Amino acid sequence: MYLAVLVTNCVIFYIKILQVSSEINYFGVAFSPYVRSDGALWNSYSVEDIKQMLRIILTYHNSVATYGMGVSKWNNGSPWDKADSNCLIARAAAQINRERGSVVLSISQGIYQNHDDGLQKREIENAFLAAVDANGIFPGTVYNLIFTNEFVTDSSNGPKVLKMIQQNKARAHAAGLRVGTRIHTCGEIWKGGNQNIIKQIVRESDFIMCNLYPPKNSGNIDAAIQGISDAYYSARDGFWKENSKIEVMIGETGWSSAGENFYNPAKYNNINNLKLFWEAMRKWSQYHRVKVQMFEAYDEPWKSGLPGERTFGWWKRADDNSQYYIEKTTGKRFY
């Protein structure tokens, strides 16, 4: 199947739309729709905006992981699909699947953490509603619920994640959904302050996503891949001691295309290294048959902090926020 994408000077690129297969689904991507740099409101991205971005993602990926339902104080009590635009990803994917006549996009629906118990309950409820909506449009679109992101950090937050999974597991399974979490403390399955709670979470979960990035000062791509591989298999072996049936995935890994980030100085962060790292992780995921969600589909120029935190994307929105996207490694425009 091919999708025609118009670019400048009336040139047409025909992009092959990958059909779902076990192989390509090993190499997925994390996605949030907040790609503008002009202060656009969090709820200003429409289903059609998101479908445009997802169709571009389909050039290389069939599996997408999201982060939340966009619940906040300002929209609490509104219909689930009137929150921040993250809430619309599953619906957009389901509509694409319906158009294609098969599950070309599978969604792991994120549920973000909130210290307000009422808002947290709303976030969870909205995730169920979004999954039911999407799977009603096209069955099988949403298959995972990810309870929180990097929230298993201490003796206060870890038990909250466990409780969410325990309280919602039966409902999820009844709806054909799996439950798990995405954490950056996977290594603590062997030792550390979160070891006991991680063990409990693993016993209750269908899957777990480990956020694994290259070691600090990574200038060598091969060494970075080996470090991630070693960390993955160490954590997986620990998890399997607690639950032999749990699927262990890489929930995030990535490389900035410019600027200092949390693990690398700016001198190692460039487009060529991003390209080499993504290519190497794709080969690794397929060879090891491990699902990986690359971080991330698109640059997030709105982010504060280190400049490299804004440049993890494979694509980016046009610099003037026009309605097209640029593949950073080739310079091609996607409409």
Side-chain angles (χ1 to χ4, degrees), residues 123-141:
E123 176 85 6
I124 293 170
E125 179 63 22
N126 285 8
F128 274 103
L129 294 173
V132 170
D133 173 80
N135 290 341
I137 295 170
F138 202 88
T141 298

Side-chain angles (χ1 to χ4, degrees), residues 134-197:
N135 290 341
I137 295 170
F138 202 88
T141 298
V142 179
Y143 73 111
N144 287 332
L145 294 180
I146 311 169
F147 287 85
T148 75
N149 179 62
E150 297 192 344
F151 201 45
V152 181
T153 55
D154 53 39
S155 59
S156 173
N157 294 331
K160 293 178 182 177
V161 177
L162 175 63
K163 186 177 180 180
M164 290 181 214
I165 291 172
Q166 289 174 327
Q167 290 183 340
N168 293 282
K169 184 176 181 178
R171 181 183 178 187
H173 287 176
L177 303 169
R178 304 193 310 167
V179 296
T181 187
R182 179 169 44 211
I183 64 176
H184 63 306
T185 49
C186 287
E188 293 190 37
I189 188 66
W190 292 110
K191 63 178 181 179
N194 296 299
Q195 182 184 34
N196 288 334
I197 194 66

Side-chain angles (χ1 to χ4, degrees), residues 150-318:
E150 297 192 344
F151 201 45
V152 181
T153 55
D154 53 39
S155 59
S156 173
N157 294 331
K160 293 178 182 177
V161 177
L162 175 63
K163 186 177 180 180
M164 290 181 214
I165 291 172
Q166 289 174 327
Q167 290 183 340
N168 293 282
K169 184 176 181 178
R171 181 183 178 187
H173 287 176
L177 303 169
R178 304 193 310 167
V179 296
T181 187
R182 179 169 44 211
I183 64 176
H184 63 306
T185 49
C186 287
E188 293 190 37
I189 188 66
W190 292 110
K191 63 178 181 179
N194 296 299
Q195 182 184 34
N196 288 334
I197 194 66
I198 289 175
K199 286 183 176 181
Q200 293 178 68
I201 289 170
V202 168
R203 293 177 199 138
E204 294 288 344
S205 298
D206 301 306
F207 69 89
I208 193 160
M209 293 182 171
C210 294
N211 290 356
L212 300 173
Y213 284 86
K216 288 188 178 295
N217 297 304
S218 290
N220 183 289
I221 303 297
D222 291 338
I225 298 295
Q226 189 61 55
I228 291 168
S229 183
D230 291 346
Y232 170 82
Y233 279 109
S234 175
R236 189 208 65 176
D237 291 349
F239 295 152
W240 280 4
K241 286 180 178 292
E242 304 300 322
N243 179 354
S244 61
K245 296 181 179 179
I246 194 169
E247 182 180 13
V248 184
M249 298 178 263
I250 294 180
E252 282 185 10
T253 192
W255 199 289
S256 299
S257 61
E260 179 185 0
N261 63 24
F262 70 94
Y263 69 83
N264 255 354
K267 65 179 180 179
Y268 295 135
N269 291 335
N270 53 63
I271 289 175
N272 187 58
N273 278 349
L274 177 145
K275 179 176 183 288
L276 293 174
F277 181 76
W278 280 56
E279 289 175 346
M281 281 305 306
R282 178 173 183 167
K283 292 177 182 177
W284 184 92
S285 69
Q286 293 175 355
Y287 178 80
H288 293 270
R289 302 179 72 84
V290 172
K291 291 177 185 173
V292 175
Q293 304 293 329
M294 297 300 295
F295 189 82
E296 59 186 325
Y298 296 92
D299 280 356
E300 296 183 284
W302 55 269
K303 283 187 172 179
S304 58
L306 295 172
E309 300 303 308
R310 300 188 283 273
T311 65
F312 275 99
W314 185 260
W315 293 275
K316 68 174 184 177
R317 179 83 172 220

Side-chain angles (χ1 to χ4, degrees), residues 114-124 160 163:
N114 199 307
H115 289 290
D116 182 305
D117 289 343
L119 294 178
Q120 186 68 75
K121 290 177 182 178
R122 176 61 62 182
E123 176 85 6
I124 293 170
K160 293 178 182 177
K163 186 177 180 180

